[in-house]
Amino acid sequence: MRRIILLMTVGALVVVDTLLAVSVAGAHKHPTAMAKHPTRTVLIQDFSFKPAHITIKRGTKVRWINKDSTAHTATANNGRSFDSGSLGKGQSYTHTFKRAGKQRYHCEIHPHMKGRITVKR
Ligand SMILES: [Cu+2]
């Protein structure tokens, strides 16, 4: 009799473990986790960044898409935070902003093209 109770207890624990594992795995795929840190898009069009100034939350991804037929870059003014390198027509570059603060950037090929990202906590 004792043995049967022991086996049932072990069986119940296995079931609970499995349920926990399934719910944890499901949480990773949950769409709200994605919505919390959405991707913001900045178009590079007519030799300017559109919009030139954006404010985002820490952890947000910013994606630059070059809509011009001319090559452009999105390069941080401080020279180290991010640098897209040369983006040809239709090419894009994505960077995740992990630190709060202001990030000014420009196009290396056309220095008059300027943008700014404000990252909030
Ligand atoms: Cu440019």
Side-chain angles (χ1 to χ4, degrees), residues 1 30 47 50:
M1 189 57 191
H30 204 277
F47 290 82
K50 294 181 180 178

Side-chain angles (χ1 to χ4, degrees), residues 6-87:
L6 186 70
L7 281 172
M8 281 172 71
T9 309
V10 169
L13 282 174
V14 168
V15 169
V16 168
D17 270 0
T18 308
L19 286 173
L20 277 175
V22 167
S23 63
V24 167
H28 283 290
K29 287 176 187 168
H30 204 277
T32 54
M34 298 279 291
K36 201 177 171 189
H37 296 302
T39 300
R40 289 288 297 270
T41 300
V42 174
L43 297 181
I44 309 176
Q45 199 169 32
D46 301 327
F47 290 82
S48 57
F49 297 105
K50 294 181 180 178
H53 302 158
I54 60 169
T55 300
I56 57 170
K57 267 195 158 187
R58 223 166 22 148
T60 304
K61 283 179 182 174
V62 175
R63 184 178 184 218
W64 285 267
I65 306 171
N66 184 9
K67 294 284 188 179
D68 279 347
S69 41
T70 312
H72 295 291
T73 78
T75 307
N77 286 11
N78 66 17
R80 57 192 151 76
S81 295
F82 61 93
D83 184 5
S84 68
S86 185
L87 296 175

